[in-house]
Amino acid sequence: MAERGKIAVTGASGLVGSELVPTLRRNGFEVLRLVRRAPSADDEVRWDPSAGTIDTEGLRGITGAIHLAGDNVASGRWTQAKKARIRDSRVRGTALLARALAQLSPKPRVLVSASAIGYYGTRGEEALDERAAQGSGFLASVCAEWEDAATPARDAGIRVVNPRIGVVLAARGGALAKMKMPFQLGVGGRIGDGSQYMSWITLEDLVSALVFALECDELDGAVNFVSPTPVTNADFTATLGRVLQRPTVLSIPKFALRLGVGSDMANEMLIGGARVIPASLHAHGFRWEHTTLEPALRSLL
Ligand SMILES: NC(=O)c1ccc[n+]([C@@H]2O[C@H](COP(=O)([O-])OP(=O)(O)OC[C@H]3O[C@@H](n4cnc5c(N)ncnc54)[C@H](OP(=O)(O)O)[C@@H]3O)[C@@H](O)[C@H]2O)c1
């Protein structure tokens, strides 16, 4: 057993997981990856969230779990079938994992089960800490069900943290890769009037916060995983333009976005926004590497 414990990770191949797994290992954790195919290495255990099967025996000895798996929210149009995949992959996958962890003996001490700031919906300028009520819309209802699905683990006495993750900024992939392209072509611009808030976190800080959540015994329930300085879309646009040294005079009309990606996705992911405050991480002494946007973008780009 590694000195800091053995951690099961789902969604290990994704943007966050592929940075998290090597970071855990460098920091003295042993990692067990849950994979949705036949295992091909000693550190892999099989699960199939769509079929509802998981190798519970293979999880024996874990001290914690970080659950990141879910159908990608930002790729492809939100058809009814895509929405069902987004919801079912999260709700069923979380319930399956939570039930398996609850059956283990000894039980792991902690389950860090991802959620998102989509929980808060679109909220204008309201500052939203963890006590803020659920918002409305598709993502808000998915996030609420996704968080609730971890209840079997909580009922078994496992500490459950639900990180409500903001927009993850990474050097490669994720939201920044999508946003960067029009700027590089010289057609970057704010969305609508640019007043909607964007609550961001760098991938490096997100991974540190996930590790922090494993070990900070006081952290429990929903926790906002964002930087301390959310910005408006207009500020984000101006800052990204400055960092890339590209013009940002254009404004992208809302109707064009609705036509381009469909109205639900445009309204909830691009036109709407939420000003989310990391009150709980702050209160428990988490230290961010990137607290303000411009230095964060400069380090990433
Ligand atoms: N990136 C962001 O800006 C952001 C913001 C807020 C919340 N989050 C949440 O944080 C978690 C990790 O984000 P990420 O950016 O790393 O996501 P990602 O790159 O899309 O990776 C998610 C992983 O989940 C697994 N997966 C994909 N489709 C699945 C399905 N239908 N059923 C079950 N598993 C599936 C895959 O891993 P395997 O192939 O290894 O199983 C995939 O690599 C996600 O739940 C995401 O919703 C992300």
Side-chain angles (χ1 to χ4, degrees):
M1 162 87 64
E3 61 193 78
R4 287 170 83 179
K6 184 172 178 180
I7 308 301
V9 177
T10 75
S13 69
L15 176 76
V16 181
S18 55
E19 188 69 25
L20 173 70
V21 170
T23 303
L24 285 169
R25 290 191 172 130
R26 270 198 313 277
N27 285 283
F29 293 94
E30 186 180 343
V31 177
L32 204 58
R33 289 174 293 156
L34 272 82
V35 295
R36 295 175 295 145
R37 49 169 171 74
S40 60
D42 286 348
D43 69 340
E44 293 182 347
V45 166
R46 189 166 197 169
W47 79 319
D48 183 345
S50 59
T53 56
I54 185 165
D55 175 6
T56 309
E57 244 341 273
L59 294 173
R60 216 161 272 293
I62 62 166
T63 55
I66 300 184
H67 171 43
L68 302 167
D71 193 84
N72 193 284
V73 173
S75 67
R77 282 177 90 90
W78 282 4
T79 58
Q80 285 310 313
K82 171 74 178 172
K83 282 181 162 178
R85 276 200 306 279
I86 290 171
R87 181 190 299 267
D88 294 350
S89 63
R90 286 176 171 73
V91 177
R92 288 191 197 158
T94 305
L96 177 66
L97 178 66
R99 284 195 303 269
L101 299 185
Q103 281 167 27
L104 289 172
S105 175
K107 293 186 215 322
R109 294 173 55 229
V110 56
L111 166 62
V112 181
S113 184
S115 179
I117 57 168
Y119 177 87
Y120 300 111
T122 288
R123 301 285 273 267
E125 296 206 346
E126 188 184 348
L128 303 159
D129 68 16
E130 289 83 355
R131 293 166 304 181
Q134 182 188 335
S136 58
F138 169 67
L139 288 179
S141 76
V142 169
C143 289
E145 284 186 60
W146 190 12
E147 291 179 9
D148 281 351
T151 300
R154 191 173 278 117
D155 287 348
I158 298 169
R159 177 169 65 88
V160 176
V161 179
N162 292 122
R164 291 183 179 153
I165 302 171
V167 178
V168 180
L169 302 181
R172 275 173 297 280
L176 196 52
K178 288 197 170 79
M179 287 185 279
K180 213 167 57 174
M181 204 206 300
F183 285 79
Q184 285 168 329
L185 297 171
V187 292
R190 64 176 197 273
I191 295 173
D193 68 3
S195 64
Q196 68 277 35
Y197 268 86
M198 190 176 145
S199 299
W200 58 275
I201 183 166
T202 62
L203 179 57
E204 184 185 346
D205 278 337
L206 170 56
V207 166
S208 301
L210 290 168
V211 176
F212 182 80
L214 285 177
E215 295 197 318
C216 177
D217 287 338
E218 293 76 43
L219 218 54
D220 211 328
V223 179
N224 293 338
F225 273 36
V226 292
S227 79
T229 55
V231 294
T232 62
N233 173 264
D235 283 342
F236 189 91
T237 304
T239 309
L240 183 55
R242 211 160 43 242
V243 171
L244 293 172
Q245 297 183 296
R246 307 301 288 172
T248 55
V249 287
L250 299 177
S251 154
I252 305 160
K254 294 177 186 173
F255 78 86
L257 287 171
R258 291 188 179 112
L259 272 178
V261 301
S263 55
D264 284 356
M265 189 182 195
N267 289 340
E268 295 198 26
M269 295 200 60
L270 302 167
I271 295 165
R275 184 182 182 185
V276 181
I277 307 298
S280 182
L281 280 182
H282 227 278
H284 291 92
F286 178 71
R287 288 176 179 273
W288 287 260
E289 182 66 30
H290 302 113
T291 52
T292 53
L293 184 64
E294 186 153 344
L297 288 178
R298 287 196 189 283
S299 83
L300 294 172
L301 296 169

